Amino acid sequence: MLYLKQANFEDIEKEHAFVANEPADENGFLNDSAGISFEEFKTATLPRMIDWAQGKNLPEGFVPETFYFLWSDEGNPDDRTNHVIVGEFRLRHNLTPALENGSGHVGQFIKKEYRGRGYCTEGLRLLIEEARKIVPEDELYMHCNSDNLASLKVMLKNGGIIHHKDESGFYVRIKLR
């Protein structure tokens, strides 16, 4: 079973291991925590993630953004020691003009060894449920690079419609209401 869980201190070791070992940029998903030390993650990055989800200490022009990790129970829901993080999703709570014409509400990333198993499709489905509680717009705005057809396929499987395309990629809308 897959489930989303917001960034938190309870799971700090697994969260750190996940973000520190992923690339800084993969298919347009930016990870400013690549190679980060545990101490820096604990004292700066994780508190920032939690603050941003609450709309606190946002840089100028930023909107609240919740960081979710996609977990798999590895077939054993009762033994939390076997649960692993397989992906990361980010939900921006509302749009600015830059987000509306850029990356939109959602960032999504699945660790390479878990790709091709439907995890991103299910993770986005779960994120859409969360977005319905948070996002004031009637649609989720999403973007993927033109060479990332797997991500586009995930969006379309979750009810996405291609709004338009340009040299940077596809702009997709998913109805929330």
Side-chain angles (χ1 to χ4, degrees):
M1 180 179 93
L2 297 172
Y3 60 96
L4 285 178
K5 192 172 182 185
Q6 287 187 32
N8 65 81
F9 278 96
E10 175 188 358
D11 300 309
I12 190 170
E13 289 87 6
K14 288 182 178 181
E15 293 167 346
H16 168 259
F18 183 84
V19 300
N21 291 306
E22 294 309 316
D25 182 355
E26 175 119 359
N27 293 324
F29 185 87
L30 302 179
N31 175 18
D32 62 0
S33 300
I36 194 170
S37 72
F38 180 79
E39 190 60 30
E40 187 178 355
F41 183 76
K42 179 176 141 185
T43 60
T45 301
L46 184 55
R48 182 194 76 214
M49 291 170 145
I50 293 168
D51 278 356
W52 286 12
Q54 299 169 7
K56 297 179 188 173
N57 302 314
L58 295 169
E60 181 77 25
F62 277 52
V63 300
E65 177 176 24
T66 302
F67 295 77
Y68 295 93
F69 290 98
L70 181 64
W71 291 79
S72 172
D73 66 14
E74 295 287 301
N76 190 351
D78 298 326
D79 183 4
R80 288 199 33 86
T81 60
N82 285 335
H83 294 203
V84 296
I85 297 174
V86 298
E88 182 183 346
F89 287 77
R90 298 177 190 165
L91 178 63
R92 293 171 202 93
H93 298 194
N94 57 284
L95 295 173
T96 63
L99 289 172
E100 189 172 327
N101 298 303
S103 58
H105 290 102
V106 176
Q108 58 190 22
F109 175 82
I110 300 296
K111 199 170 187 170
K112 274 190 180 177
E113 60 262 35
Y114 296 103
R115 293 180 189 164
R117 300 184 191 183
Y119 287 5
C120 197
T121 300
E122 177 62 9
L124 181 57
R125 186 192 68 75
L126 294 168
L127 190 74
I128 291 167
E129 290 176 18
E130 294 300 312
R132 287 190 170 113
K133 301 173 202 170
I134 297 170
V135 172
E137 289 88 6
D138 290 336
E139 297 178 312
L140 273 186
Y141 283 55
M142 298 182 70
H143 174 270
C144 68
N145 293 347
S146 53
D147 63 349
N148 190 354
L149 297 180
S151 188
L152 177 62
K153 196 176 198 180
V154 164
M155 294 175 201
L156 298 176
K157 282 183 180 179
N158 274 285
I161 307 273
I162 297 172
H163 182 268
H164 67 282
K165 182 183 187 293
D166 66 17
E167 65 282 344
S168 77
F170 296 94
Y171 296 82
V172 174
R173 306 294 183 257
I174 297 176
K175 292 275 186 206
L176 292 176
R177 297 170 237 318

